[in-house]
Amino acid sequence: MSGIDDLMPKSDARWATATRRAQGVADLGLGSALKTYYTRYFPAGVIILVGTGTIFGILAFGGDPADWPSFLVFGCSLAVLGVATGGLVYNAKKIAPAAEPGRIDVLLSLEDEERKGIRRQILGKTPADPDQLVVSRAAAVQLRKNLATQLIWIPVLPLIYIPQVLRGTGLVSWLMAAGTAIWLIGEVFTVRDFHRAGRFLARTAEPDVPDAAP
């Protein structure tokens, strides 16, 4: 029994450290901020930038408007620059203030199996442990914050691939199409985990505390 007794203080210390790091971590509206980006700024920006860049390419090189796919690369290049710049600004101005993520990963002090257990709870694979809620909720906020940042940057990739799919031939076109498909799959899983973490926060919120996760 002495071996087990020796391990218990170490385990308690790990969880105490994680609990201390979890203090003040909160989701202040990541879901709303991300929804606004994808329903307003991103689609409007892409349409305007792709259209402007494509038209500029046609006019600058005296191309035939019917041959617009050949000039789509100019529109997508402008969109890549615009989305990257806009994403950087939006992340700093809207995404970052929508959460209090803390300065350190709350799971850093835990062992691998303990971290996996927390993540399974957050993703809804196992029931939430009431004794670990402070840590698991903070970890869910940090996960959502990281995923939200990824979701701001991920759309840049298909804007690079799509022109090559439309105007490329043979192997290049197929490779770019495969890259776009891989991006789409990754996007689906990222969005899924973001919403799962949000549902976990909503499900485990105290009744008298409004939760901004969804």
Side-chain angles (χ1 to χ4, degrees):
M1 293 293 292
S2 61
I4 296 176
D5 293 339
D6 290 339
L7 290 175
M8 289 182 65
K10 295 180 181 179
S11 175
D12 291 342
R14 290 196 303 271
W15 283 99
T17 299
T19 301
R20 185 173 64 254
R21 289 172 175 168
Q23 300 304 314
V25 175
D27 187 328
L28 305 177
L30 284 168
S32 297
L34 201 59
K35 181 179 180 180
T36 298
Y37 179 75
Y38 270 100
T39 57
R40 297 182 187 176
Y41 300 110
F42 175 72
V46 168
I47 291 171
I48 293 171
L49 292 170
V50 170
T52 301
T54 302
I55 293 172
F56 174 80
I58 293 173
L59 296 177
F61 292 93
D64 185 348
D67 196 28
W68 64 268
S70 299
F71 297 93
L72 190 62
V73 65
F74 295 101
C76 286
S77 297
L78 183 61
V80 166
L81 181 61
V83 169
T85 303
L88 182 65
V89 173
Y90 194 86
N91 186 64
K93 297 292 186 180
K94 298 296 183 180
I95 298 297
E100 290 288 350
R103 292 181 296 176
I104 303 175
D105 182 356
V106 297
L107 303 183
L108 188 62
S109 64
L110 303 181
E111 294 185 343
D112 287 343
E113 285 303 316
E114 293 169 330
R115 294 191 198 105
K116 291 177 182 177
I118 291 293
R119 292 192 181 104
R120 284 194 291 268
Q121 293 178 45
I122 293 171
L123 298 178
K125 296 180 180 180
T126 59
D129 187 335
D131 295 331
Q132 300 174 351
L133 273 184
V134 172
V135 175
S136 59
R137 283 181 56 82
V141 172
Q142 292 183 336
L143 175 62
R144 274 171 64 87
K145 172 61 173 63
N146 292 336
L147 293 177
T149 300
Q150 290 180 36
L151 288 168
I152 291 294
W153 289 105
I154 283 177
V156 172
L157 297 178
L159 293 173
I160 298 173
Y161 295 142
I162 288 174
Q164 304 303 324
V165 174
L166 295 177
R167 62 192 293 268
T169 57
L171 181 61
V172 173
S173 181
W174 280 106
L175 288 175
M176 294 300 104
T180 303
I182 292 172
W183 164 83
L184 182 60
I185 293 171
E187 181 92 343
V188 169
F189 281 107
T190 303
V191 171
R192 181 201 64 179
D193 289 347
F194 181 83
H195 284 299
R196 281 182 174 180
R199 287 193 292 269
F200 173 81
L201 290 174
R203 189 169 61 249
T204 58
E206 296 180 12
D208 57 340
V209 178
D211 191 89

